[in-house]
Amino acid sequence: MPDDALGLALPEMPKAVAASPYRVLARKYRPQNFAELIGQDTMVQTLGNAIKRGRLAHAFLMTGVRGVGKTSTARLIAKALNCIGPDGQGGPTIDPCGVCEPCRAIAEGRHIDVIEMDAASHTGVDDVREIIEAVRYAAVSARYKIYIIDEVHMLSKNAFNALLKTLEEPPAHVKFLFATTEVNKVPITVLSRCQRFDLKRIPAELLAEHFSEICKKEGVDAEAEALRLVAQAAEGSVRDGLSILDQAIAHADLAADDSGSEARVEAAQVRTMLGLSDRAAVRRLFGLLLEGEAQAVLDEARNQYQLGVEPAATLAGLLREVHLVTLSKIGSPSEAALPEEARAQIDEWAGRLSFPMLHRFWQLLLKGHDEVRQASLPLECCDMALLRVLHGAAMPDPGELARMLQQGPVPTAASNPTPAPQAPQSSPAMASSYPADFKSLVEALDQGGHPNVAATLHDVLRLVRYAPPRLEFQLGGAVYQGFAADLNDALFRLTGTRWELAETPGEAQPSLYEQEKAARAAQDSEILESPLVKAALAAFPEAEVHVDGRTIHSPHEAEVRSLRA
């Protein structure tokens, strides 16, 4: 009897849905051709030229940090060497078709003539002996029989020795492709038998662009700042970055499910996920350190900790900030991703802080960072490290301390409990104001350790207008290559200010050298025209007049000598 007749209406069972296993982004977007291999253009060009010219090595070694594409490159080389093209008539190419049977079989890991071996689990001489025995036989269906050995540095010493002879003179149909993250552990005898490619770390900007394209393909909206944070956390590794991006997308999906909105990867979520500090908060903390506000520094650090930022990450952020300020002080371009107000703040700090102070900041923060990473009480250790930085960075360096001891007693802690950062002291000639005139500026540069710049200014530069920090001038002769950059740097080191330099038309003063030359000529003329000297020269026509170790001559002396001749 049917269930409905008995009044038992059973709920309709849902239809079974075929489960498709999820593939993580690092596997889903593994490069399938050399065009998709990002950041390794030099290696791709070298391989392409070797294939075109038929100059293929019998062994290749790919080395680099994790996740930059070593194994992927080995598989792409296997494709390139064995591709036969869509029509089955093609030869080795740097652009494998991806549709012929060898290309598809290699991509799917099922080609009988492309053998992959993990040296971490096959370390012994017996594993290598199997390879040595097998290389004698020709490839079954491919152009080349290819052995891909990952993490080759894990092979034992005996295994390497067993491989050497075969590696040096393999059969023509065999190619070896090695990959390793620790090339220093590979014997030099093996390295000398391989064509080596050092795969580079991928720049953060290129990684962020790559992740942006993947998000578009995945239908995920992501903030540019969020992708930049993921790229920085990846430290040059594509695989690590894709794993972090996978996690960030999952985190965004959960947030979207809770709020009912579409999935969006946001910078704040990525910071929370990675335990990173907001850079604005780091700059705020750095500013408090410079102001000497001990309690405010500790409060800000604890606020960051309560938001989920690890103490080590806080100190790492301060180290990055010191690095940016130091780069700004030497005139390096600012990070393109920095907002305008952040650049202005960093430039302002660069003008206030001297190089010795920045170096002390760096050393103290670096020591604190290492201590926090190993501490059983990281928050408390971070507090103590920040207090040490606050009181230690403004202490005088040994040279300054010696000068202070010579000139008078050192102020006690009671009279100045939290020393404020001093003005830049990178040059002995630096003062609280600009040099009074152009000549004083040249002298200060010479005394401050910039003799080449000072000499060029003295001999060649003709002053139009001296209005610090602006200098208008004309050049009365050639200057050495790089003079403009050296002058910019020297003026900044001397005064702590970026000068505006302009080569302008108009009336210009003679150079200091020309002025000194004219003054000497006038002095010489006055001496020669004095009655006593004239009488002496008349009495002794062959006599010479010496002043300050140099011989002076009458402007008409050459004419007189020619008449005598």
Side-chain angles (χ1 to χ4, degrees):
M1 181 178 294
D3 293 333
D4 289 345
L6 299 175
L8 299 174
L10 297 177
E12 183 178 353
M13 298 298 293
K15 296 180 180 179
V17 179
S20 58
Y22 175 69
R23 295 178 67 200
V24 296
L25 297 179
R27 292 186 59 194
K28 185 175 180 180
Y29 292 98
R30 185 186 292 271
Q32 298 302 313
N33 53 60
F34 283 106
E36 297 177 3
L37 188 67
I38 65 172
Q40 311 298 344
D41 297 340
T42 302
M43 181 198 67
V44 173
Q45 182 179 357
T46 303
L47 281 172
N49 293 339
I51 291 174
K52 289 177 183 177
R53 297 171 183 171
R55 302 177 63 88
L56 292 170
H58 57 269
F60 298 88
L61 174 69
M62 273 68 67
T63 179
V65 298
R66 67 196 185 283
V68 292
K70 299 182 296 296
T71 307
S72 296
T73 299
R75 292 173 183 169
L76 292 178
I77 294 175
K79 274 188 186 181
L81 298 182
N82 285 326
C83 177
I84 59 175
D87 57 359
Q89 304 300 316
T93 174
I94 196 63
D95 297 312
C97 66
V99 297
C100 65
E101 177 56 26
C103 283
R104 288 189 287 109
I106 293 172
E108 296 168 7
R110 57 178 174 82
H111 200 294
I112 193 172
D113 292 318
V114 178
I115 301 97
E116 290 194 34
M117 187 182 90
D118 178 19
S121 54
H122 299 80
T123 62
V125 68
D126 292 336
D127 300 302
V128 172
R129 189 176 292 119
E130 291 181 10
I131 296 177
I132 297 172
E133 293 295 328
V135 297
R136 296 184 298 171
Y137 303 103
V140 176
S141 62
R143 186 178 295 113
Y144 293 104
K145 179 180 283 189
I146 294 178
Y147 290 90
I148 300 175
I149 303 181
D150 201 8
E151 299 301 340
V152 69
H153 67 274
M154 299 291 286
L155 290 178
S156 66
K157 181 179 179 180
N158 290 337
F160 274 124
N161 290 336
L163 186 61
L164 283 180
K165 188 62 179 177
T166 303
L167 185 60
E168 185 171 17
E169 298 178 359
H173 62 272
V174 173
K175 302 291 182 185
F176 288 98
L177 305 178
F178 301 141
T180 178
T181 54
E182 300 185 50
V183 70
N184 58 301
K185 294 184 179 180
V186 179
I188 190 65
T189 49
V190 173
L191 293 177
S192 65
R193 290 166 168 82
C194 300
Q195 189 171 98
R196 173 174 167 177
F197 292 105
D198 290 85
L199 277 68
K200 303 175 182 177
R201 290 180 184 267
I202 314 302
E205 297 81 8
L206 191 57
L207 277 179
E209 293 176 8
H210 182 58
F211 297 156
S212 177
E213 293 298 322
I214 289 177
C215 286
K216 291 177 183 177
K217 294 175 182 178
E218 292 290 307
V220 175
D221 188 17
E223 289 182 353
E225 174 70 8
L227 297 180
R228 188 182 64 80
L229 292 172
V230 172
Q232 287 182 341
E235 296 182 344
S237 169
V238 181
R239 185 175 61 238
D240 286 7
L242 289 175
S243 298
I244 297 171
L245 182 60
D246 235 336
Q247 184 181 357
I249 292 174
H251 188 79
D253 285 341
L254 289 175
D257 292 341
D258 293 340
S259 63
S261 59
E262 295 183 358
R264 177 176 171 81
V265 179
E266 297 179 348
Q269 294 172 336
V270 173
R271 287 194 190 94
T272 301
M273 183 185 76
L274 297 176
L276 298 176
S277 178
D278 184 0
R279 295 186 72 169
V282 172
R283 284 191 292 274
R284 185 165 60 249
L285 180 57
F286 189 66
L288 292 173
L289 280 172
L290 295 182
E291 294 170 9
E293 299 289 342
Q295 189 57 52
V297 166
L298 298 183
D299 291 343
E300 182 62 34
R302 288 185 179 273
N303 288 340
Q304 292 297 305
Y305 182 75
Q306 291 170 0
L307 291 173
V309 180
E310 292 297 323
T314 298
L315 292 177
L318 289 171
L319 281 167
R320 281 192 292 271
E321 211 66 23
V322 172
H323 181 244
L324 287 175
V325 174
T326 307
L327 291 182
S328 173
K329 191 165 185 66
I330 65 173
S332 293
S334 302
E335 275 189 20
L338 281 177
E340 189 61 36
E341 61 272 15
R343 296 184 197 180
Q345 180 65 80
I346 288 172
D347 289 343
E348 192 269 330
W349 285 334
R352 287 173 52 193
L353 302 176
S354 65
F355 281 110
M357 185 177 292
L358 286 169
H359 294 325
R360 284 198 294 278
F361 263 120
W362 178 264
Q363 293 297 331
L364 292 169
L365 286 170
L366 189 62
K367 179 176 176 59
H369 180 264
D370 292 342
E371 291 175 351
V372 168
R373 291 179 62 184
Q374 301 173 10
S376 56
L377 299 173
L379 180 60
E380 288 76 4
C381 184
C382 180
D383 286 347
M384 298 303 294
L386 290 174
L387 290 175
R388 185 169 61 215
V389 171
L390 186 146
H391 291 100
M395 291 178 63
D397 57 40
E400 179 68 11
L401 186 60
R403 185 188 64 78
M404 294 168 66
L405 288 172
Q406 291 176 355
Q407 295 182 357
V410 180
T412 62
S415 63
N416 189 13
T418 55
Q422 300 172 0
Q425 298 286 336
S426 52
S427 167
M430 186 182 302
S432 58
S433 59
Y434 299 109
D437 51 32
F438 177 66
K439 184 177 180 181
S440 301
L441 176 68
V442 174
E443 292 173 352
L445 287 170
D446 187 40
Q447 297 170 9
H450 308 283
N452 291 339
V453 173
T456 305
L457 291 178
H458 178 276
D459 294 348
V460 178
L461 190 139
R462 294 172 176 168
L463 184 66
V464 175
R465 180 167 172 259
Y466 178 73
R470 180 175 174 83
L471 186 64
E472 298 179 12
F473 59 91
Q474 297 172 12
L475 294 178
V479 297
Y480 66 88
Q481 187 175 4
F483 167 70
D486 287 354
L487 177 58
N488 267 301
D489 182 63
L491 290 174
F492 178 73
R493 289 173 180 269
L494 180 73
T495 64
T497 305
R498 293 291 177 194
W499 282 57
E500 185 179 354
L501 306 176
E503 190 171 357
T504 59
E507 185 178 353
Q509 301 176 16
S511 69
L512 294 177
Y513 171 74
E514 291 169 336
Q515 293 177 33
E516 293 169 0
K517 185 178 179 181
R520 282 198 304 270
Q523 181 185 22
D524 294 349
S525 177
E526 184 179 353
I527 293 173
L528 293 173
E529 292 299 321
S530 67
L532 181 61
V533 173
K534 291 178 71 173
L537 291 176
F540 304 97
E542 300 298 325
E544 294 180 341
V545 180
H546 295 268
V547 177
D548 296 333
R550 59 186 178 88
T551 303
I552 62 174
H553 303 281
S554 168
H556 308 293
E557 183 174 340
E559 181 181 349
V560 172
R561 287 181 178 176
S562 64
L563 290 175
R564 286 177 180 174

